[in-house]
Amino acid sequence: KGQVLANHYYMRSGLIRKAELATTLIPQFRACHPETHVSELVDEVAREKFMALLFTLSTRGGVWLLKAGDSSNATDMYLFDKTRLDFISDLLRHSPRTSWLAQKYIERPLLIKGFKFHIRATVLAVGRLKVFLHRHAIALMASREYSLDDLSDLAVHASNHSVAEQLNPTGIPDAALLSELHRLVQSPPPIVNLADLEEEEEEGGGEKERKGGREKERDRGAGKRPAWTHIEDDQLGGPWAAAVWRQLREATWRVFHSAVHSEQPARIFRAVPCSFEMFGLDAMIDEEGRVYLLELNCDPDLKVFDTRFRHLAAEIVSDTLDAAVCPTLGGISDGSPTRDIGGYHLVFQHDGLDRFFEPS
């Protein structure tokens, strides 16, 4: 009685802003995110230093992405190689934005009938703190066939639903469920296990020994992977789709583990009671089977589940109510944070966040 429940968290910029997500992840986990360099162009010196970095990256060869660190829907996103440095330099000199990042472009993505795609999965964070990943994930398509011939054509390179609708609304291929992809992708590659990749990290990075009593206190027993419920491959669409989904689960765990174990967790993601939030996790698979986390979006648009999959969007909403709203309002007798609910599977939980928010 009298309970207030918010459908957003007060502070989560370290998750949903591209630059801050990279900064959150990089100190502990590199393998699940493309190589990324973040800069704040607060003055001309910082701008020149960043331009020198872009020149260095371009001399390594290949294609890179320049993204505004606080944008969405592919706003201020540009592909470049060494032939486009003059354009990029002019853009940075005249843009009022200060937050930017340069990220390695995935040049050899897995394709569906020649089109680039990314996977959108639904993540639900509840209270302080349990995090779920829904089993229904969907592949969203770019609206023109993939090629590196024109780096300026976002209809080729951006698979964001809103961008595709705007740039080529009549040419968007139908979305597909993750469970269908193995039939649509020519020769699906074996999926790489993130935990097996060699990277500059310790497994469970938050548990390594650190200096400072507060950091040690934060590490003790916090953020460990829960005993993930065994899910049969058939429930996720078969062995290949299940392998992809399990890498999405691993990436989700890494995001929230990194946020909780950052130097200033209250400024990255402040989990508070009587709050919950849905996020849209975007990931991409390259042709070698490696799954990359691209970003985490607030306010995910369920419109991406088109008419054919509208019933799945309704299922996600229903499961969200069961997992986040009903336990607080008394609609479910067992509100235990250690169980899966509907299509949501528990990925991360943390029972000791109160101690993170004492005055510094």
Side-chain angles (χ1 to χ4, degrees):
K1 185 178 181 180
Q3 180 69 64
V4 175
L5 185 63
N7 67 341
H8 287 78
Y9 284 96
Y10 169 71
M11 175 63 71
R12 73 275 203 258
S13 61
L15 304 180
I16 63 174
R17 291 184 178 177
K18 296 177 177 65
E20 293 189 42
L21 175 62
T23 303
T24 299
L25 276 173
I26 286 172
Q28 299 191 61
F29 299 112
R30 297 177 183 271
C32 64
H33 201 47
E35 179 185 347
T36 303
H37 304 267
V38 178
S39 184
E40 292 291 330
L41 309 187
V42 295
D43 54 30
E44 192 60 29
V45 173
R47 195 179 306 275
E48 292 300 327
K49 185 177 180 180
F50 187 56
M51 277 304 308
L53 170 65
L54 299 186
F55 175 80
T56 300
L57 295 177
S58 69
T59 59
R60 285 169 46 184
V63 179
W64 294 78
L65 274 173
L66 177 70
K67 298 181 184 178
D70 55 357
S71 67
S72 60
N73 294 326
T75 304
D76 279 336
M77 184 182 87
Y78 308 92
L79 280 72
F80 72 94
D81 58 13
K82 60 184 179 181
T83 69
R84 302 194 79 208
L85 280 178
D86 289 343
F87 164 75
I88 294 296
S89 176
D90 187 64
L91 183 151
L92 290 175
R93 292 186 189 284
H94 293 91
S95 173
R97 292 187 182 273
T98 58
S99 178
W100 291 93
L101 60 87
Q103 187 174 85
K104 189 69 184 79
Y105 186 59
I106 301 172
E107 298 177 46
R108 297 168 63 188
L110 203 58
L111 303 177
I112 296 178
K113 298 179 181 179
F115 288 80
K116 180 179 174 181
F117 70 92
H118 77 272
I119 296 172
R120 163 62 61 87
T122 303
V123 173
L124 175 68
V126 181
R128 196 174 49 194
L129 174 67
K130 54 194 176 197
V131 180
F132 300 88
L133 176 67
H134 207 279
R135 71 169 64 128
H136 294 318
I138 194 165
L140 303 178
M141 315 284 285
S143 55
R144 292 196 182 106
E145 286 194 48
Y146 183 71
S147 165
L148 290 175
D149 292 342
D150 185 356
L151 299 184
S152 66
D153 189 350
L154 290 184
V156 171
H157 301 288
S159 47
N160 308 55
H161 184 72
S162 57
V163 174
E165 280 192 323
Q166 179 183 354
L167 295 180
N168 192 20
T170 61
I172 309 173
D174 292 335
L177 295 180
L178 172 59
S179 59
E180 301 175 305
L181 288 188
H182 70 284
R183 296 193 300 269
L184 301 175
V185 173
Q186 185 176 6
S187 301
I191 297 301
V192 177
N193 187 353
L194 281 171
D196 292 340
L197 292 175
E198 291 183 5
E199 54 190 287
E200 297 176 2
E201 65 179 55
E202 289 184 27
E203 180 65 16
E207 297 184 49
K208 68 177 76 171
E209 196 67 25
R210 297 174 183 164
K211 296 179 180 179
R214 189 177 176 197
E215 288 184 340
K216 289 182 181 179
E217 174 70 15
R218 188 163 70 224
D219 292 342
R220 195 177 302 137
K224 295 180 181 179
R225 289 173 179 80
W228 285 330
T229 303
H230 175 72
I231 310 170
E232 297 293 339
D233 289 353
D234 288 347
Q235 292 181 270
L236 298 168
W240 192 83
V244 173
W245 187 90
R246 290 180 181 119
Q247 300 316 302
L248 301 179
R249 179 178 63 183
E250 174 71 18
T252 303
W253 180 87
R254 291 182 179 209
V255 167
F256 285 89
H257 177 88
S258 298
V260 164
H261 290 279
S262 63
E263 294 297 324
Q264 296 179 310
R267 296 185 180 182
I268 300 297
F269 172 61
R270 185 161 192 166
V272 294
C274 302
S275 296
F276 71 95
E277 187 161 355
M278 290 173 62
F279 300 95
L281 180 148
D282 289 343
M284 186 168 291
I285 311 170
D286 70 14
E287 63 181 24
E288 296 181 350
R290 184 166 172 176
V291 178
Y292 289 91
L293 168 69
L294 300 180
E295 60 188 24
L296 208 65
N297 299 278
C298 61
D299 301 317
D301 189 354
L302 294 179
K303 185 181 178 181
V304 299
F305 289 89
D306 58 24
T307 303
R308 191 160 61 104
F309 305 124
R310 191 168 296 166
H311 64 289
L312 300 181
E315 184 178 326
I316 290 174
V317 172
S318 177
D319 290 343
T320 299
L321 294 176
D322 288 344
V325 178
C326 294
T328 301
L329 301 183
I332 290 180
S333 59
D334 179 13
S336 168
T338 60
R339 70 187 187 97
D340 301 337
I341 299 179
Y344 278 119
H345 296 273
L346 185 67
V347 172
F348 178 91
Q349 73 178 76
H350 198 300
D351 302 321
L353 284 175
D354 281 345
R355 61 176 170 244
F356 284 18
F357 304 125
E358 69 271 29
S360 58

